[in-house]
Amino acid sequence: MKLALDAMGGDNAPQINIDGAKLALAEVPTLEKLYLVGREEELRPLCEAAGIADDPRVVITHAPEVVTMEDSGLMAVRQKKHSSMSVAVDLVKSGECDAVLSAGNTGAAVAASTIKLRLLPGVERAGIVSMLPSAHGHTMVTDTGANPDAKPSHLVGYAVMGALMAKYIYGRPEPQVGVMSNGTEDCKGSEFSKETYKLMAELDKEGLFPFNFIGNCEGHDIFETELDVALTDGFTGNILLKSVEATAKFFSHTLKQHIKESAVAMLGALLMKGPVFKKLSARMNPDAIGGNPLMGVNGVSIIAHGSANGTAILNAIRMAEAMCKNNINDRIIAAMEPISAALKARG
């Protein structure tokens, strides 16, 4: 795999990207080339300090501009054509790289990948897939921010893409897919969710889906049941994702605060630190996932969270490797062909 890393993306860039690059070069044997895209005058000294400057797999690609978190996504693509993010995506567009990874501005990453790489045949909109921890492992939620004004047909594509990821990346032989609503009955929900349910049910009866459509699902199903993919629009999905992340941080902060108030609690916490807290941290830590794929674009594009560290970058590279290895995009094209024809027939 050849990967383009937006080395200037992230709250603590470029250091965290160099840290992640060093880990990936040591732990990802299929990483044939790693393009570090950014300001060469900043990247080269960091690479030398990390001991990877002379690695034949490392290619430092100069890009003088940087997309900030304050930049508008679309305007950043149009006005900063020589940014590290745009140049990294261009490497995939030209065929030089198989995948692109950025921990920078999510809106800009979505815009750059969608505009430059275009969409896969049969896919109407790209969507971000985010993994949330659940009782049975993880549940994928899509979309979580790429497409806030979605249509029911867009969610059909998200269902297929999420299910194929569940099957081939996470080993779920019969993915369970549901439409997020405020009740499991088909009469529940907003007009959008009810229209989505109806369309999904009709296509399911025609036997077009490579997954099990379970109908509506509720918020608690994401964490309590063996649901593999929860479908929603990017507006709702993004609010859900950020609420869950904030809740986890609040729980951790409050727990630590109350533990410090009692010597007995501190002793108990010390005893649980190894066997309990480490396992809990591993389950809840977003760095273990690393990055969220933007599915539906003609290439592999992984978006890491802004506060990512070196471990998160490593795991995001592993995600890109898994998607390339399992030919996810080819599988999406094949699965969407009959579904796209059925959607067109419906007008």
Side-chain angles (χ1 to χ4, degrees), residues 24-29 31-35 54-59:
L25 290 166
E27 299 184 30
V28 183
L31 188 57
E32 182 183 350
K33 287 288 184 182
L34 179 58
Y35 291 76
D54 296 326
D55 191 311
R57 294 169 293 174
V58 173
V59 179

Side-chain angles (χ1 to χ4, degrees), residues 136-271:
H136 76 286
H138 288 90
T139 298
M140 281 171 277
V141 178
T142 182
D143 169 38
T144 54
N147 181 19
D149 298 311
K151 298 179 180 179
S153 58
H154 300 166
L155 267 64
V156 171
Y158 297 160
V160 172
M161 294 187 287
L164 292 175
M165 186 174 171
K167 183 174 183 178
Y168 293 102
I169 303 297
Y170 292 101
R172 313 277 176 80
E174 297 182 358
Q176 309 293 308
V177 180
V179 177
M180 285 194 65
S181 185
N182 63 335
T184 57
E185 301 87 353
D186 58 4
C187 61
K188 291 286 186 69
S190 64
E191 289 303 313
F192 170 72
S193 66
K194 286 189 283 189
E195 289 176 12
T196 301
Y197 178 100
K198 180 181 177 181
L199 178 59
M200 294 282 292
E202 291 174 355
L203 294 173
D204 185 48
K205 287 182 180 179
E206 296 179 30
L208 296 175
F209 288 153
F211 55 81
N212 292 329
F213 177 56
I214 64 169
N216 284 341
C217 62
E218 298 181 75
H220 68 87
D221 291 318
I222 294 174
F223 306 98
E224 297 177 350
T225 69
E226 293 190 2
L227 177 68
D228 293 305
V229 182
L231 303 174
T232 187
D233 60 274
F235 178 77
T236 304
N238 190 259
I239 292 174
L240 169 65
L241 180 64
K242 291 179 179 177
S243 296
V244 170
E245 291 174 345
T247 300
K249 290 179 180 178
F250 171 75
F251 173 80
S252 177
H253 172 77
T254 304
L255 181 62
K256 290 177 181 178
Q257 185 179 34
H258 289 307
I259 286 174
K260 292 178 180 180
E261 294 174 355
S262 167
V264 175
M266 290 181 67
L267 177 60
L270 183 62
L271 293 174

Side-chain angles (χ1 to χ4, degrees), residues 318-333:
R318 284 176 170 157
M319 173 69 74
E321 176 198 31
M323 293 187 68
C324 291
K325 179 181 178 181
N326 289 280
N327 301 310
I328 294 298
N329 282 349
D330 290 340
R331 298 181 189 279
I332 291 172
I333 293 171

Side-chain angles (χ1 to χ4, degrees), residues 2 27 40 51 53 77 88 126 165 175 180 204 283 289 305 322 328 335:
K2 297 178 181 179
E27 299 184 30
E40 184 173 5
V77 177
M165 186 174 171
M180 285 194 65
D204 185 48
R283 285 292 306 277
I289 301 298
H305 56 91
I328 294 298

